[in-house]
Amino acid sequence: MKDKQKEKKRSFFLLITFLLFTSYATSKTLKNVNYQDISIVGSELLSIDDIVDNSSLNFPTPLIFVKTIYIEKELKKNLSLDNVSVTRQIFPFGLKILIKTKTPIAYSERIVKGNKITGFVDKDGYFLNSRYIDQENLEKLSSTVFGWKENFRETLSRILNFQKDNDVVFIKITFSPNGFLTLEEKSLKTILLGFNPKRIENQLQIINNIKNQIKENNILEKIDNIDLTDPNNPKIKVFKP
């Protein structure tokens, strides 16, 4: 009998505790989030102002109404981040924003409203604002991309990843305003690729083959430029003595 009474008291205590906790948690989720309630993890280069300026997050706003998934998508796109996680927290109260930045593999510049913007690109061809990039290990970068635009991104990614796995080093990758692509390879000098991005895989393979063949013949220093605008009819221009 006593055991049953103890069990009832214990169950009642647990129920009251649960109800009190639920009530407390509910009140916390309805509490407004402000600047001081935001914590950023993973990057010392991003501030709360950067988060607000590049998302729909406003202050003050009830914690429960913060659209975490939507804000994650906004920040990932607007700040060119590799990954973002926004979590509502009760203990401690606020928003925890976990950030993973992208890794730059080449310098880059783009033109925005007539102004030149310098930055970097990652392996997928995304433009990275230099303000949000860790300056460590940047001296290892050997390529520069000129004329970056969003519609060139996929082609650029293929070029950057190709040189990583093959014996070519593209010092300059240049897109003209109308999309004409020119490469400068460390040994082969200027390589004209033209306007057609669908040819890029074939063109890159031809570049690699040409370099391997020319290295064997020791005539790299004689090359002026290579024209691969028509991959079926490569043209190599050499310096005349």
Side-chain angles (χ1 to χ4, degrees):
M1 187 71 175
K2 290 183 179 180
D3 290 340
K4 288 185 178 181
Q5 290 178 341
K6 287 182 179 179
E7 185 62 29
K8 286 183 178 180
K9 289 181 179 180
R10 183 173 178 276
S11 297
F12 179 75
F13 175 77
L14 291 174
L15 177 61
I16 294 300
T17 302
F18 174 76
L19 291 173
L20 289 174
F21 176 80
T22 302
S23 177
Y24 175 78
T26 301
S27 66
K28 279 289 186 178
T29 60
L30 293 174
K31 182 180 176 182
N32 282 337
V33 176
N34 287 287
Y35 275 84
Q36 67 271 18
D37 302 314
I38 308 299
S39 62
I40 301 173
V41 180
S43 175
E44 297 180 355
L45 302 175
L46 286 168
S47 67
I48 296 175
D49 285 334
D50 293 322
I51 298 298
V52 174
D53 292 343
N54 289 280
S55 73
S56 55
L57 184 61
N58 292 311
F59 298 112
T61 188
L63 180 64
I64 197 172
F65 293 145
V66 175
K67 300 177 181 178
T68 56
I69 295 177
Y70 186 68
I71 292 173
E72 289 171 355
K73 291 179 179 179
E74 290 179 319
L75 294 175
K76 188 173 181 178
K77 177 182 178 182
N78 296 337
L79 295 175
S80 296
L81 299 173
D82 191 47
N83 200 14
V84 185
S85 175
V86 180
T87 306
R88 302 187 194 94
Q89 292 188 154
I90 297 177
F91 304 106
F93 175 80
L95 286 175
K96 182 178 180 180
I97 303 178
L98 180 62
I99 289 172
K100 183 179 179 182
T101 57
K102 291 179 179 292
T103 302
I105 64 170
Y107 295 100
S108 185
E109 66 176 43
R110 61 189 297 195
I111 303 299
V112 179
K113 297 180 180 179
N115 297 316
K116 183 172 71 173
I117 307 297
T118 58
F120 304 88
V121 290
D122 73 339
K123 62 181 180 61
D124 297 314
Y126 286 101
F127 188 88
L128 312 178
N129 191 316
S130 57
R131 178 181 175 185
Y132 307 125
I133 295 298
D134 190 341
Q135 301 299 306
E136 187 178 357
N137 298 323
L138 291 182
E139 67 275 3
K140 297 180 180 179
L141 305 184
S142 59
S143 302
T144 302
V145 179
F146 297 95
W148 185 96
K149 288 183 181 180
E150 176 63 33
N151 55 317
F152 302 149
R153 187 183 62 76
E154 186 175 342
T155 299
L156 176 59
S157 177
R158 292 182 180 183
I159 295 170
L160 294 171
N161 284 285
F162 185 85
Q163 74 170 355
K164 181 181 66 175
D165 301 323
N166 293 275
D167 186 26
V168 290
V169 179
F170 298 120
I171 299 172
K172 294 181 182 179
I173 303 169
T174 305
F175 295 93
S176 69
N178 61 356
F180 190 96
L181 174 59
T182 305
L183 304 180
E184 182 178 329
E185 205 276 332
K186 187 176 181 180
S187 301
L188 297 177
K189 308 299 188 297
T190 301
I191 305 171
L192 308 175
L193 297 186
F195 296 101
N196 192 344
K198 294 181 181 180
R199 295 175 172 175
I200 190 63
E201 294 290 350
N202 188 26
Q203 290 170 320
L204 290 172
Q205 194 57 60
I206 292 173
I207 292 170
N208 196 49
N209 293 340
I210 289 175
K211 184 170 183 181
N212 290 334
Q213 293 172 12
I214 290 179
K215 279 173 63 178
E216 295 175 0
N217 297 315
N218 297 317
I219 60 172
L220 283 172
E221 68 278 1
K222 298 180 181 180
I223 294 178
D224 182 19
N225 66 66
I226 299 174
D227 187 345
L228 294 180
T229 52
D230 179 2
N232 296 316
N233 185 28
K235 298 176 183 178
I236 300 177
K237 182 179 179 180
V238 297
F239 289 108
K240 294 181 179 180

